Amino acid sequence: MFLTREEERALEGEFGPGLALAMRILVKLGDLYGAEKLVPIQSAHVSGVSYKTAGDAAIEFLKELCELGARASVPATTNPCGFNECILDLLDLPSDVITRQEELVALYERLGVSRTLTCVPYYQLRPGAGSHLAWAESSAVVYANSVIGALTNREGAPSALAAAIAGKVPDHGLHRPENRKPGLLIDVDFKPKDEVELWAIGFFVGQVAKDTVPLLKDLKGLSDWELKGLGAAMASGGMTAMFSLAEIGQEQARKELEKIQVSQEDVRTVIDKLSSTGEPDLIFIGCPHCSREELELLAALLRDRKVRPGKHLWICTSRHLRDACPSLVEAIEASGALVVADTCVVVSWVERLGVDLVATNSPKAAYYLPGLSGVEVRLASLRECVELACSKSSS
Ligand code: F3S
């Protein structure tokens, strides 16, 4: 890989051992993927922040970087961690787990990575269209590439952090215009009835598209939160990092692409595989973290409703949005629901709540929860989730 004189000096340690280590990681990855150079990035977003999923290895790696004097040189944000203060009593975690989680977040802060603790960093620090990024959260990566028009690969936690420190990333994959062209045409032959069906289409597409960019025909007029969930589902179904919605002018491309038809039956199969039946103890909305639009919708649906005794309704969002929307938070929490920032049901220790079945509208959560927390999942739309959580009577 070609390096500028400045980059060579950084690699040789002239600007400190922390930057040198970050450069070594990036150069190794660049060589592995056949990148010709590094490109400057506007921001980095790091995953591996929940102690539940990242463990002690992450703490050791971050400590080493801190000791070497590494520091982020571009704006950098963090994915959710394992808890926040409002659910700490409910989880009743051992004190050493709390200490390790706090240490993990503090180490990121020492490295100059902001304590955003959200998987929707784009609602707080919106990247520009056409800007290069190094983001590690797969749902945020798809959103950045497909909705914003920024350019990022699916980074791992160490490579996103190395890129944050160096302010650069190897120029390969979705940083290159030739790799952002659609490689597969997806023809959906029915109209999804709600977001669960829409996102199950996404999950199916993720499974078949592998690492190509799918072009989705016939899915028009989707709202921001529907697009957010669609991308998250694709990224959990497979390695998808970008999708494209059919636009005028793509007629020629559409004719040349291999076509895959998605039927209602395909989607039913996805939902049946991811979903159980039964009465949920915990109802979870906000995978990825809720946008303002979803908080508004939930506040309206929960007006004059009460969460039934024995049930938990968690609405997960960023601390940034929680702080920015106090009246929505108040309206939602008046029902007995919790608006939980900094974490989510998937990366927290929900098994400690004594929960057997979680209802959620997110195929991504449904895919990961059984393996991570040993709970069953029932897929239900946001509206159905509110019905599952609340008593019928309006107070
Ligand atoms: Fe975000 Fe947790 Fe889902 S980190 S994308 S809410 S699994």
Side-chain angles (χ1 to χ4, degrees), residues 42-53:
Q42 193 180 78
S43 68
H45 179 74
V46 299
S47 60
V49 187
S50 164
Y51 179 62
K52 179 177 184 176
T53 55

Side-chain angles (χ1 to χ4, degrees), residues 370-394:
L372 279 171
S373 296
V375 293
E376 289 195 73
V377 178
R378 173 171 167 185
L379 277 171
S381 70
L382 182 145
R383 282 170 195 279
E384 288 165 344
C385 279
V386 168
E387 294 308 317
L388 286 168
C390 294
S391 48
K392 297 277 171 245
S393 61
S394 57

Side-chain angles (χ1 to χ4, degrees), residues 79-80 119 137 139 284 286-289 344 346-347 364:
N79 230 24
C119 48
E137 161 57 41
S139 67
F284 163 43
C287 175
H289 275 175
C344 80
V346 177
V347 301
K364 173 171 181 174

Side-chain angles (χ1 to χ4, degrees), residues 307-386:
V307 175
R308 273 188 263 175
K311 297 219 183 262
H312 305 274
L313 172 56
W314 286 16
I315 314 296
C316 293
T317 189
S318 64
R319 184 168 290 256
H320 167 74
L321 273 174
R322 201 192 131 86
D323 290 348
C325 309
S327 55
L328 293 176
V329 172
E330 199 183 317
I332 291 169
E333 293 196 329
S335 69
L338 282 179
V339 178
V340 181
D342 302 341
T343 186
C344 80
V345 167
V346 177
V347 301
S348 188
W349 287 268
V350 286
E351 61 275 21
R352 297 187 63 87
L353 296 171
V355 162
D356 294 318
L357 189 92
V358 175
T360 179
N361 59 349
S362 167
K364 173 171 181 174
Y367 180 68
Y368 285 110
L369 266 172
L372 279 171
S373 296
V375 293
E376 289 195 73
V377 178
R378 173 171 167 185
L379 277 171
S381 70
L382 182 145
R383 282 170 195 279
E384 288 165 344
C385 279
V386 168

